[in-house]
Amino acid sequence: TLSELKEDYDILFDQTEVTTIAGVLLAQLGMIPEAGKTIHVSGHEHGYDLTAEQVEGLKITRVRLRKIPAPA
């Protein structure tokens, strides 16, 4: 769940009205993304890229979370 991601990865999600990682993508983009569309979210120590890996019609079915190392 989104709350588990927040806790496990220390990610800061601005959206309070969504409950899924796909919902974060939809809320930030304001539309159904094409597969491959990426957004950036912040954490306390790292940033993260969220990529819509698979989209079927109006549904995001797979999202990839990738940690971006903090600048040295």
Side-chain angles (χ1 to χ4, degrees):
T1 66
L2 195 56
S3 60
E4 290 170 329
L5 275 175
K6 287 179 183 179
E7 185 177 312
D8 293 347
Y9 294 95
D10 200 25
I11 299 174
L12 306 171
F13 293 115
D14 294 333
Q15 297 81 8
T16 57
E17 67 280 355
V18 298
T19 58
T20 66
I21 198 72
V24 172
L25 278 163
L26 292 170
Q28 190 162 334
L29 294 171
M31 59 182 225
I32 305 288
E34 293 182 11
K37 184 70 176 175
T38 299
I39 64 168
H40 183 77
V41 294
S42 297
H44 288 289
E45 295 182 22
H46 305 282
Y48 295 89
D49 283 339
L50 300 177
T51 302
E53 288 282 305
Q54 186 173 356
V55 179
E56 298 176 3
L58 299 177
K59 189 175 183 180
I60 301 169
T61 56
R62 183 179 303 147
V63 176
R64 175 176 292 205
L65 173 69
R66 185 174 72 100
K67 181 169 63 170
I68 306 299

